[in-house]
Amino acid sequence: MLSFFDDAFALAGRLAIIGWLSLILLPRWRGVSAAFAGWIIPAALSLGYLVLILVYWHDAQGGFRSLDAVASLFASKPLLLAGWVHYLAFDLFLGNWILRRSQEEAIPHGLMVPVLILTFLFGPAGYLAWLLIAASFRLAREDRIARFQARMPDWLRDIEIEPRLTAAAFAMAALVLPTMLALSLDERLFGGVSTWVKPLKFEISVAFYLLTLAIFLPLSSERFRASLAGRYMVWPVIVPIVLEVLYIAWRASRVEASHYNATSLGTALYVLMGIGAVMFTLAPGFLAYGLARCDARPMPPVLRWSLVVGLALTCVLGLLSGIVLGRNPGGHFVGVLPALHPTLPLLGWSLSVGDLRLAHFLGLHALQIVPALGLLIWLATRRTGPGLVTLGAASTAYAGLTVAALLAALDARPLLGFG
């Protein structure tokens, strides 16, 4: 009899996999996936579940009144099989529902493939991922953005926002909530701090990065946005940067290093992360060119050039500091790291040895900091002159500070601190 249950378990799994493959590989093909995953296979699994319950429930020990009672209930192999078939049937039905809703809302199927896989493996987690992506796309639709802009001050109402980058930014921002909940509940530490601190910092940083690009890209011309460089600004940025954050969160859940992981798998994935980082760090350089073109949207010169310089510095300094970080044998640090060493609160940068993360942070966030300086200069000088000389001096000082932070770290000295 035990072999019968094992065979039934294997058969149920094969049926479910057929349904999931139809959803992933044949999402629209003549209703095949809708039939297989929507009712044929879930119905077959449900029929098997019903037979198991009718035949074996009367001998059940335990129940649903407590966790121990549920454990006793599933000590019965037939009822354990029934519970497994229950999961297979409902997760597949949910996967079909998610796919049909995504098609109704015109969400690209490529984004749904990882969601479907996640639903297959961890049903409710896949459902939450679907809710996150769907909500992000709805918030980023042009009509919702227009309604939001209508409530903003007059001088902000003409700002356009690229919807796909905005959707990705909203998704990253939404991930902050479960990460903070995990941080508050999980007592595990990595490197002396909560294992969830690193993904939290990356989620916040990436959300601002994507939203910045979403605001800046529409300031370029339609001709640039239709070009290869303009099209590069969307999916070649979103896909690697989102995958990198998800990979970091996955490693954090296992209390493992996402960077500088010495295992064979970790080394291979680290190389892929490096390629992805280069991809999304190149994008600001392309956009700097787009905003420097004569067909870009008219704006005061100091604002235009603050955008161009900030984006260009992010591309150059972000890549430079990233390459140094990736090739440094000591990881983030240069020098002998004491067992107990002071760090900058929240950010965690070392205040006693060289820390390459400061230069990397300054490089990557030049696209926000330099335009913010440009806006302040424009507000202060719009009645007295263009302020380009002041912008040039401020941009040069910012680039010099970033390079100084990098050189200090390579010399095993903190730019900020006591070393």
Side-chain angles (χ1 to χ4, degrees):
M1 182 62 71
L2 291 180
S3 63
F4 166 78
F5 295 128
D6 292 333
D7 292 341
F9 172 84
L11 177 60
R14 293 190 190 102
L15 285 175
I17 288 174
I18 291 172
W20 286 106
L21 288 176
S22 71
L23 292 177
I24 293 171
L25 302 178
L26 305 171
R28 296 182 183 272
W29 194 69
R30 300 183 179 181
V32 170
S33 63
F36 271 89
W39 66 274
I40 293 177
I41 295 177
L45 293 172
S46 298
L47 178 61
Y49 170 83
L50 180 61
V51 171
L52 288 168
I53 292 298
L54 290 175
V55 174
Y56 296 102
W57 185 261
H58 69 282
D59 288 331
Q61 302 293 322
F64 302 109
R65 62 186 180 276
S66 68
L67 191 59
D68 288 337
V70 172
S72 298
L73 181 66
F74 285 120
S76 164
K77 196 163 188 177
L79 294 181
L80 179 62
L81 175 61
W84 177 246
V85 172
H86 173 272
Y87 285 127
L88 292 179
F90 276 75
D91 284 355
L92 181 58
F93 185 84
L94 176 62
N96 179 70
W97 180 87
I98 287 173
L99 180 60
R100 303 312 152 197
R101 291 295 300 273
S102 72
Q103 291 172 345
E104 292 173 5
E105 303 200 23
I107 298 176
H109 184 65
L111 291 179
M112 287 298 102
V113 170
V115 173
L116 292 173
I117 294 173
L118 188 60
T119 306
F120 170 58
L121 295 173
F122 308 102
Y127 177 63
L128 286 175
W130 149 250
L131 290 178
L132 174 61
I133 291 176
S136 298
F137 269 80
R138 290 169 193 152
L139 288 171
R141 283 178 179 157
E142 292 182 0
D143 58 335
R144 290 182 179 268
I145 292 174
R147 290 200 297 270
F148 174 71
Q149 288 175 315
R151 301 186 182 98
M152 299 175 73
D154 293 341
W155 65 282
L156 288 175
R157 290 181 184 175
D158 292 333
I159 295 177
E160 297 179 27
I161 303 178
E162 206 290 322
R164 292 160 295 183
L165 289 166
T166 306
F170 286 158
M172 283 294 102
L175 286 178
V176 169
L177 176 59
T179 304
M180 291 187 68
L181 290 174
L183 188 150
S184 65
L185 294 173
D186 195 343
E187 297 180 352
R188 295 175 299 168
L189 301 179
F190 185 82
V193 298
S194 170
T195 187
W196 295 103
V197 166
K198 184 172 183 177
L200 179 63
K201 292 191 293 186
F202 269 78
E203 287 158 4
I204 295 171
S205 177
V206 166
F208 278 108
Y209 187 88
L210 292 170
L211 188 59
T212 301
L213 294 181
I215 295 172
F216 289 174
L217 182 58
L219 299 175
S220 62
S221 66
E222 290 186 9
R223 185 175 179 181
F224 169 77
R225 295 198 296 272
S227 69
L228 183 62
R231 295 197 303 273
Y232 183 91
M233 295 300 306
V234 182
W235 293 117
V237 173
I238 293 173
V239 172
I241 205 169
V242 170
L243 288 177
E244 178 155 337
V245 171
L246 295 178
Y247 173 68
I248 290 169
W250 173 66
R251 285 293 193 185
S253 72
R254 297 166 58 89
V255 198
E256 296 173 345
S258 55
H259 299 69
Y260 315 109
N261 193 307
T263 65
S264 57
L265 175 62
T267 301
L269 293 176
Y270 185 56
V271 171
L272 292 177
M273 287 178 67
I275 295 172
V278 170
M279 288 178 63
F280 62 73
T281 310
L282 282 173
F286 293 137
L287 185 53
Y289 162 72
L291 294 177
R293 290 165 45 133
C294 60
D295 59 357
R297 179 177 294 188
M299 66 184 81
V302 69
L303 294 182
R304 177 191 301 278
W305 289 107
S306 69
L307 297 178
V308 171
V309 172
L311 289 162
L313 287 178
T314 288
C315 180
V316 174
L317 297 177
L319 283 174
L320 175 62
S321 58
I323 291 171
V324 173
L325 259 171
R327 296 175 65 87
N328 183 46
H332 301 143
F333 306 108
V334 180
V336 179
L337 192 66
L340 296 174
H341 63 107
T343 60
L344 199 65
L346 183 63
L347 295 172
W349 299 332
S350 176
L351 298 175
S352 60
V353 298
D355 195 326
L356 295 166
R357 290 175 294 179
L358 171 58
H360 195 51
F361 175 89
L362 293 173
L364 286 179
H365 290 281
L367 82 169
Q368 292 137 351
I369 297 172
V370 174
L373 293 174
L375 178 61
L376 293 175
I377 293 169
W378 176 69
L379 292 173
T381 64
R382 56 182 170 176
R383 294 183 181 179
T384 59
L388 290 175
V389 174
T390 306
L391 175 65
S395 302
T396 302
Y398 185 85
L401 176 65
T402 306
V403 173
L406 183 60
L407 294 176
L410 290 173
D411 195 35
R413 295 182 294 104
L415 185 66
L416 304 169
F418 313 106

